Amino acid sequence: MRSIEHFIGGQRVAGRSGRHGDVFDPNSGQVQARVALANADELEAAVQNAAAAQVGWARTNPQRRARVMFEFKHLLEKHMDELAALLSSEHGKVLADARGDIQRGLEVIEFACGIPHLLKGEYTQGAGPGIDVYSARQPLGVVAGITPFNFPAMIPMWMFGPAIASGNAFILKPSERDPSVPVRLAELMIEAGLPAGVLNVLHGDKDTVDGLITHPAIKAISFVGSSDIAQSVYALGSFHGKRVQAMGGAKNHGIVLPDADLDQTVADLLGAAYGSAGERCMALPVVVPVGEETAEALRAKLVEKIAELRVGVSTDPQAHYGPLINAAHKAKVEAYIQTGVDEGAELVIDGRGFSLPGHEGGHFLKPCLFDHVTASMTTYKEEIFGPVLQIVRARSFEEAIALPSRHQYGNGVAIFTRNGDAAREFAEQVEVGMVGINVPIPVPVAYHSFGGWKRSGFGDLNQYGLDGVRFFTRTKTVTQRWPKGGVVSDQSFVIPTMR
Ligand code: NAD
């Protein structure tokens, strides 16, 4: 059986804790590899390697650090197919989507290539007599990132791109469910010229996460995962004096106004609801048609088009989406579907009970469609994270805005309309962090920032973009005076002011 090792001090290191996690092949349901789970000694080794490497890396000038990023970008492009195949084999997303996962991370690396410019500080000449003031952004030191299973390439790069370019050393604790790609990314960073120890990958579970959060040498924790864990990571990390950003779960709504282009909207909804088997924090699992006429027309088109979707193995180029990550997650999604039925929602299309010939053990689930879902139902309130689309009918525009605004999650939302006035009002009023106007998955481009509101994000700085650089640096402000020779200022016991 293949063993997936840690990556510490610039090389793969076999786990010695005796603990491991199973990594499944989602297409077959079989265990395909075992991932080592770190113990306290291995965690300490990662921290010590990172701390030792960080000092020299922070002193490496930003342009040289950017060159490593440039080279890493080229290596990502060169190894795109290999990485996508590896990613897809552990996650189960289809190959084209796996390439998208890597590409979106690569775009953050492209952003990080601009680090010399991004780190330029501010300067005020002549703030007082002979006094100049400047502010510089300095790296924090050793920082850590904890990432979820659903984007095993993109989300690690969201974090370590800006963090490392800014001069920090990084310890990545990736999801133990699809851990191979992060190790490969670390190897490519070394090949790109990164000094050993600046990027380490430590596999593990809650014990490892807790060890990182409470370790005194780690200055910041970036977390992406489900909300309850995000909140506890935020609380524990803050208590231990660390800077923490913790992104959580989601339940994104797509509002469909009566004037929307329905064919385009349905095409967009299908990809956003069922792509990657719905295992995206920016999936659109809730659609809110406004008015009964819109609801009926939308439902009819959805039913027709859902029937054409193909679920297949992740290497099937014709498949729209592949299997779910593992059997436990599939069972959880199916339990939510049953709850929806029990709560009185209408299960218009039931994708359960599907078995792919030749891949009977795979974690496949065909698309499900619910209608007449209401805001009081558990299956509406909670994140399902599977190929399940729920229609929640709204009588008015106001009711449609209220649904995502009152929901516990506030990650993404989309509105489909031809009415600029309504779209503008919606974007301004809705209580959600990322808004799409006729854009179903409004993941901001790499030079903006990613972050949800309410229980979708704890902490005040978003992922990547300028926020990413701000999160992984701290500002130092220097006030300097170079008096003219021979001129002595008067003694003063009063707080200096600018009067
Ligand atoms: P998860 O919360 O189960 O795991 C995330 C990470 O936390 C993993 O590395 C895991 O090993 C670790 N972990 C697990 N249990 C822990 C515990 N008790 N204490 C500390 N750490 C623990 O999430 P997942 O199932 O891997 O990913 C899916 C979730 O992530 C969904 O809720 C999805 O919406 C969310 N997500 C959010 C975003 C975002 O940016 N908002 C992006 C992607 C995914």
Side-chain angles (χ1 to χ4, degrees):
M1 173 97 32
R2 184 166 62 97
S3 290
I4 300 167
E5 301 172 325
H6 306 296
F7 190 88
I8 300 173
Q11 56 189 339
R12 291 186 187 230
V13 176
R16 290 193 309 273
S17 69
R19 293 197 311 127
H20 68 265
D22 290 334
V23 176
F24 291 91
D25 168 4
N27 292 313
S28 70
Q30 300 295 311
V31 176
Q32 60 161 315
R34 286 179 155 184
V35 59
L37 303 178
N39 61 19
D41 291 345
E42 289 159 329
L43 191 148
E44 196 55 39
V47 173
Q48 293 310 326
N49 270 277
Q54 195 269 332
V55 179
W57 180 242
R59 288 194 188 132
T60 305
N61 74 52
Q63 204 151 352
R64 287 199 177 164
R65 296 202 301 258
R67 281 190 199 126
V68 173
M69 293 294 158
F70 270 114
E71 190 52 33
F72 179 56
K73 166 193 148 62
H74 293 315
L75 289 172
L76 287 173
E77 283 161 348
K78 186 170 152 198
H79 291 274
M80 178 64 83
D81 289 345
E82 169 217 324
L83 289 166
L86 186 59
L87 194 159
S88 163
S89 73
E90 290 184 356
H91 178 283
K93 61 177 78 177
V94 294
L95 284 168
D97 199 29
R99 279 190 208 98
D101 188 330
I102 298 157
Q103 178 64 30
R104 284 306 292 242
L106 185 156
E107 289 167 12
V108 173
I109 300 301
E110 287 175 331
F111 170 76
C113 289
I115 201 69
H117 183 68
L118 294 165
L119 289 182
K120 275 195 308 195
E122 294 168 339
Y123 194 93
T124 302
Q125 196 170 45
I131 295 177
D132 306 320
V133 180
Y134 69 88
S135 301
R137 293 206 155 270
Q138 297 189 336
L140 302 178
V142 179
V143 298
I146 297 136
T147 53
F149 80 85
N150 66 325
F151 280 100
M154 176 183 83
I155 296 179
M157 286 191 269
W158 280 4
M159 298 175 181
F160 77 65
I164 290 178
S166 299
N168 299 283
F170 197 90
I171 301 173
L172 172 65
K173 205 304 281 172
S175 171
E176 63 278 36
R177 294 189 245 176
D178 45 11
S180 290
V181 167
V183 175
R184 214 37 214 119
L185 295 177
E187 273 178 346
L188 292 176
M189 282 288 277
I190 295 290
E191 199 179 324
L194 189 74
V198 177
L199 175 57
N200 305 277
V201 181
L202 193 69
H203 302 294
D205 50 16
K206 180 182 182 336
D207 289 352
T208 315
V209 174
D210 288 347
L212 290 169
I213 298 176
T214 53
H215 198 292
I218 294 178
K219 304 298 179 206
I221 299 284
S222 182
F223 175 93
V224 177
S226 49
S227 289
D228 287 349
I229 299 176
Q231 187 166 15
S232 66
V233 164
Y234 182 74
L236 187 63
S238 306
F239 179 76
H240 283 268
K242 302 194 191 308
R243 192 176 281 196
V244 189
Q245 54 176 192
M247 278 58 201
K251 188 89 179 198
N252 305 325
H253 296 51
I255 313 301
V256 183
L257 297 191
D259 66 354
D261 175 338
L262 265 201
D263 289 328
Q264 183 62 56
T265 301
V266 167
D268 288 344
L269 284 173
L270 291 179
Y274 301 116
S276 195
E279 293 171 327
R280 289 184 186 139
C281 67
M282 287 297 272
L284 267 191
V286 176
V287 58
V288 183
V290 176
E292 284 302 299
E293 217 175 296
T294 314
E296 289 304 324
L298 180 78
R299 171 177 163 153
K301 275 191 196 291
L302 280 171
V303 168
E304 180 195 328
K305 291 293 176 190
I306 289 170
E308 296 167 8
L309 294 184
R310 178 180 167 106
V311 180
V313 286
S314 59
T315 48
D316 175 356
Q318 309 299 323
H320 292 101
Y321 71 85
L324 294 161
I325 182 76
N326 59 24
H329 185 58
K330 183 182 165 195
K332 185 175 159 195
V333 174
E334 286 177 335
Y336 269 124
I337 295 166
Q338 190 51 46
T339 305
V341 173
D342 297 343
E343 288 180 313
E346 182 192 357
L347 184 56
V348 183
I349 298 175
D350 186 355
R352 294 174 296 178
F354 168 67
S355 172
L356 189 68
H359 299 274
E360 288 75 9
H363 315 133
F364 298 98
L365 187 57
K366 287 195 96 176
C368 298
L369 179 69
F370 274 105
D371 194 1
H372 301 290
V373 173
T374 64
S376 62
M377 293 179 180
T378 309
T379 45
Y380 168 77
K381 291 181 193 161
E382 295 182 7
E383 180 182 40
I384 299 177
F385 222 54
V388 182
L389 178 60
Q390 299 173 305
I391 302 176
V392 183
R393 297 175 178 227
R395 280 164 302 197
S396 65
F397 180 65
E398 291 69 29
E399 207 177 295
I401 294 192
L403 282 162
S405 294
R406 289 188 190 147
H407 202 281
Q408 62 163 327
Y409 295 117
N411 215 37
V413 71
I415 185 165
F416 299 91
T417 179
R418 291 183 170 100
N419 182 337
D421 189 16
R424 191 174 179 285
E425 170 79 6
F426 180 81
E428 196 174 300
Q429 297 299 330
V430 72
E431 296 210 18
V432 173
M434 292 171 283
V435 181
I437 298 174
N438 298 313
V439 171
I441 306 182
V443 177
V445 290
Y447 41 96
H448 284 255
S449 290
F450 183 107
W453 288 9
K454 298 178 282 182
R455 286 183 53 75
S456 294
F458 303 89
D460 49 17
L461 285 171
N462 286 347
Q463 295 282 345
Y464 66 82
L466 282 178
D467 266 15
V469 176
R470 288 185 191 116
F471 181 76
F472 289 115
T473 55
R474 53 187 171 174
T475 305
K476 182 175 278 176
T477 305
V478 177
T479 302
Q480 57 184 2
R481 183 172 63 166
W482 298 103
K484 286 201 177 6
V487 180
V488 178
S489 313
D490 293 341
Q491 273 189 6
S492 174
F493 297 91
V494 177
I495 176 91
T497 68
M498 286 296 127
R499 289 197 66 186

